[in-house]
Amino acid sequence: MANWIPLWVHKLGSPPLFYRFAGAARPWLLALAVLAAAGGLYGGLVLAPSDYQQGDAYRIIFIHVPSAWMSLFIYGVMAVASFVALVWRVKLAEVVAMESAPVGAAFTFITLVTGSLWGKPMWGTWWTWDARLTSELVLLFLYLGVIGLYHAFEDRRQGARAAAFLALIGIVNVPIVHFSVNWWNTLHQGSTVRILGPSKMAPSMLWPLLTMMAATKLYYLASLCSRVRADLLALEGGKDWVRKIAEAEGSR
């Protein structure tokens, strides 16, 4: 391992330590996700005013936009974890990358479905081969490819390494999705929420959207904790720490 990686990262990369950490963090993350989602949905569906052009149809953005952000964010996490797994052979990084893929695929699917539901009244069609929509569909196929490749090998670590290569190759699609509305003539509207500079959205609509963004991230972390814990138990089945957990569970 490179010397620049902090000691706490080394320690957190230990499967038994991460298992305990994830078990402690998961209920808190899930509770915060539920509270944030409840507040964000109430703010977006009840408190926020109707849009002067789209009416109430625009409210689907409180699901669509956070899901779209998460589809890109999770792929970025998966790619970074894949890089760490391939370069330093960290088992936990492999697990994080592979267990991120199903969650990312789910958010990408939700993005496409809600986008179609919004596009029908706005564009008059459920689907068009728009640059943003097409690149988002490619992102879904990349997620499914990673999942399929991972499960195509009997040796799970060999499958994880093969899938990690695909994840790294596919990272080129992430900036294409993000900048597609700027690079090509597209039906999809441009960005209205800006990290740097003022957003093109009323504060009464912006805060529920940002709250939903926080909720989706918290949910992803909670889901990842659960999935990684289960996968670590399967991978480390013959280790002493797993046997101790099994014995402790059996004695209850």
Side-chain angles (χ1 to χ4, degrees), residues 123 125-131 133-134 187:
W123 300 339
T125 181
W126 296 105
W127 180 265
T128 180
W129 292 102
D130 177 88
L133 273 66
T134 304
L187 291 174

PDB file of all heavy atoms in Angstrom, residues 123 125-131 133-134 187:
ATOM      1  N   TRP A 123     -42.923  16.739 -23.833  1.00  0.00           N
ATOM      2  CA  TRP A 123     -42.422  16.572 -25.197  1.00  0.00           C
ATOM      3  C   TRP A 123     -43.421  15.880 -26.113  1.00  0.00           C
ATOM      4  O   TRP A 123     -43.226  15.811 -27.322  1.00  0.00           O
ATOM      5  CB  TRP A 123     -41.113  15.759 -25.202  1.00  0.00           C
ATOM      6  CG  TRP A 123     -40.003  16.371 -24.425  1.00  0.00           C
ATOM      7  CD1 TRP A 123     -39.864  17.678 -24.072  1.00  0.00           C
ATOM      8  CD2 TRP A 123     -38.857  15.694 -23.891  1.00  0.00           C
ATOM      9  NE1 TRP A 123     -38.714  17.873 -23.352  1.00  0.00           N
ATOM     10  CE2 TRP A 123     -38.068  16.662 -23.227  1.00  0.00           C
ATOM     11  CE3 TRP A 123     -38.416  14.377 -23.909  1.00  0.00           C
ATOM     12  CZ2 TRP A 123     -36.872  16.353 -22.586  1.00  0.00           C
ATOM     13  CZ3 TRP A 123     -37.227  14.057 -23.288  1.00  0.00           C
ATOM     14  CH2 TRP A 123     -36.461  15.040 -22.632  1.00  0.00           C
ATOM     15  N   THR A 125     -43.975  12.617 -26.030  1.00  0.00           N
ATOM     16  CA  THR A 125     -43.526  11.255 -26.307  1.00  0.00           C
ATOM     17  C   THR A 125     -42.885  10.666 -25.055  1.00  0.00           C
ATOM     18  O   THR A 125     -42.335  11.399 -24.224  1.00  0.00           O
ATOM     19  CB  THR A 125     -42.511  11.229 -27.473  1.00  0.00           C
ATOM     20  OG1 THR A 125     -42.112   9.880 -27.733  1.00  0.00           O
ATOM     21  CG2 THR A 125     -41.276  12.058 -27.146  1.00  0.00           C
ATOM     22  N   TRP A 126     -42.996   9.329 -24.924  1.00  0.00           N
ATOM     23  CA  TRP A 126     -42.377   8.660 -23.772  1.00  0.00           C
ATOM     24  C   TRP A 126     -40.861   8.600 -23.904  1.00  0.00           C
ATOM     25  O   TRP A 126     -40.161   8.563 -22.893  1.00  0.00           O
ATOM     26  CB  TRP A 126     -42.922   7.235 -23.649  1.00  0.00           C
ATOM     27  CG  TRP A 126     -44.387   7.163 -23.360  1.00  0.00           C
ATOM     28  CD1 TRP A 126     -45.374   6.822 -24.249  1.00  0.00           C
ATOM     29  CD2 TRP A 126     -45.048   7.440 -22.126  1.00  0.00           C
ATOM     30  NE1 TRP A 126     -46.607   6.858 -23.638  1.00  0.00           N
ATOM     31  CE2 TRP A 126     -46.437   7.232 -22.326  1.00  0.00           C
ATOM     32  CE3 TRP A 126     -44.611   7.838 -20.859  1.00  0.00           C
ATOM     33  CZ2 TRP A 126     -47.389   7.414 -21.321  1.00  0.00           C
ATOM     34  CZ3 TRP A 126     -45.551   8.006 -19.851  1.00  0.00           C
ATOM     35  CH2 TRP A 126     -46.909   7.799 -20.081  1.00  0.00           C
ATOM     36  N   TRP A 127     -40.370   8.549 -25.113  1.00  0.00           N
ATOM     37  CA  TRP A 127     -38.936   8.360 -25.327  1.00  0.00           C
ATOM     38  C   TRP A 127     -38.496   9.041 -26.609  1.00  0.00           C
ATOM     39  O   TRP A 127     -39.222   9.039 -27.608  1.00  0.00           O
ATOM     40  CB  TRP A 127     -38.583   6.876 -25.391  1.00  0.00           C
ATOM     41  CG  TRP A 127     -37.114   6.620 -25.620  1.00  0.00           C
ATOM     42  CD1 TRP A 127     -36.482   6.385 -26.812  1.00  0.00           C
ATOM     43  CD2 TRP A 127     -36.084   6.628 -24.623  1.00  0.00           C
ATOM     44  NE1 TRP A 127     -35.129   6.234 -26.623  1.00  0.00           N
ATOM     45  CE2 TRP A 127     -34.865   6.369 -25.287  1.00  0.00           C
ATOM     46  CE3 TRP A 127     -36.087   6.813 -23.241  1.00  0.00           C
ATOM     47  CZ2 TRP A 127     -33.649   6.301 -24.605  1.00  0.00           C
ATOM     48  CZ3 TRP A 127     -34.874   6.747 -22.563  1.00  0.00           C
ATOM     49  CH2 TRP A 127     -33.674   6.490 -23.233  1.00  0.00           C
ATOM     50  N   THR A 128     -37.307   9.610 -26.580  1.00  0.00           N
ATOM     51  CA  THR A 128     -36.672  10.138 -27.773  1.00  0.00           C
ATOM     52  C   THR A 128     -35.178   9.905 -27.630  1.00  0.00           C
ATOM     53  O   THR A 128     -34.656   9.877 -26.511  1.00  0.00           O
ATOM     54  CB  THR A 128     -36.967  11.638 -27.960  1.00  0.00           C
ATOM     55  OG1 THR A 128     -36.321  12.105 -29.144  1.00  0.00           O
ATOM     56  CG2 THR A 128     -36.484  12.458 -26.773  1.00  0.00           C
ATOM     57  N   TRP A 129     -34.511   9.716 -28.754  1.00  0.00           N
ATOM     58  CA  TRP A 129     -33.075   9.416 -28.698  1.00  0.00           C
ATOM     59  C   TRP A 129     -32.279  10.699 -28.503  1.00  0.00           C
ATOM     60  O   TRP A 129     -31.399  11.053 -29.293  1.00  0.00           O
ATOM     61  CB  TRP A 129     -32.637   8.645 -29.938  1.00  0.00           C
ATOM     62  CG  TRP A 129     -33.229   7.272 -29.969  1.00  0.00           C
ATOM     63  CD1 TRP A 129     -34.287   6.854 -30.704  1.00  0.00           C
ATOM     64  CD2 TRP A 129     -32.820   6.155 -29.180  1.00  0.00           C
ATOM     65  NE1 TRP A 129     -34.579   5.538 -30.429  1.00  0.00           N
ATOM     66  CE2 TRP A 129     -33.692   5.077 -29.493  1.00  0.00           C
ATOM     67  CE3 TRP A 129     -31.809   5.947 -28.238  1.00  0.00           C
ATOM     68  CZ2 TRP A 129     -33.575   3.826 -28.911  1.00  0.00           C
ATOM     69  CZ3 TRP A 129     -31.708   4.699 -27.648  1.00  0.00           C
ATOM     70  CH2 TRP A 129     -32.576   3.660 -27.980  1.00  0.00           C
ATOM     71  N   ASP A 130     -32.653  11.388 -27.450  1.00  0.00           N
ATOM     72  CA  ASP A 130     -31.972  12.602 -27.010  1.00  0.00           C
ATOM     73  C   ASP A 130     -30.609  12.246 -26.427  1.00  0.00           C
ATOM     74  O   ASP A 130     -30.422  11.153 -25.881  1.00  0.00           O
ATOM     75  CB  ASP A 130     -32.863  13.275 -25.958  1.00  0.00           C
ATOM     76  CG  ASP A 130     -32.255  14.508 -25.356  1.00  0.00           C
ATOM     77  OD1 ASP A 130     -32.435  15.589 -25.917  1.00  0.00           O
ATOM     78  OD2 ASP A 130     -31.602  14.379 -24.300  1.00  0.00           O
ATOM     79  N   ALA A 131     -29.639  13.152 -26.524  1.00  0.00           N
ATOM     80  CA  ALA A 131     -28.281  12.862 -26.051  1.00  0.00           C
ATOM     81  C   ALA A 131     -28.255  12.504 -24.574  1.00  0.00           C
ATOM     82  O   ALA A 131     -27.582  11.548 -24.164  1.00  0.00           O
ATOM     83  CB  ALA A 131     -27.364  14.055 -26.322  1.00  0.00           C
ATOM     84  N   LEU A 133     -30.797  11.375 -22.642  1.00  0.00           N
ATOM     85  CA  LEU A 133     -31.507  10.121 -22.389  1.00  0.00           C
ATOM     86  C   LEU A 133     -30.697   8.922 -22.876  1.00  0.00           C
ATOM     87  O   LEU A 133     -30.615   7.889 -22.201  1.00  0.00           O
ATOM     88  CB  LEU A 133     -32.872  10.134 -23.068  1.00  0.00           C
ATOM     89  CG  LEU A 133     -34.042  10.757 -22.278  1.00  0.00           C
ATOM     90  CD1 LEU A 133     -33.822  12.247 -22.072  1.00  0.00           C
ATOM     91  CD2 LEU A 133     -35.358  10.512 -23.009  1.00  0.00           C
ATOM     92  N   THR A 134     -30.108   9.060 -24.061  1.00  0.00           N
ATOM     93  CA  THR A 134     -29.356   7.944 -24.625  1.00  0.00           C
ATOM     94  C   THR A 134     -28.130   7.619 -23.787  1.00  0.00           C
ATOM     95  O   THR A 134     -27.838   6.441 -23.506  1.00  0.00           O
ATOM     96  CB  THR A 134     -28.930   8.258 -26.068  1.00  0.00           C
ATOM     97  OG1 THR A 134     -30.089   8.574 -26.849  1.00  0.00           O
ATOM     98  CG2 THR A 134     -28.197   7.082 -26.692  1.00  0.00           C
ATOM     99  N   LEU A 187     -33.231  18.122 -26.352  1.00  0.00           N
ATOM    100  CA  LEU A 187     -34.524  18.535 -25.810  1.00  0.00           C
ATOM    101  C   LEU A 187     -34.475  18.719 -24.303  1.00  0.00           C
ATOM    102  O   LEU A 187     -35.267  19.458 -23.732  1.00  0.00           O
ATOM    103  CB  LEU A 187     -35.588  17.481 -26.154  1.00  0.00           C
ATOM    104  CG  LEU A 187     -35.999  17.353 -27.628  1.00  0.00           C
ATOM    105  CD1 LEU A 187     -36.938  16.168 -27.800  1.00  0.00           C
ATOM    106  CD2 LEU A 187     -36.657  18.630 -28.129  1.00  0.00           C
TER     107      LEU A 187
END
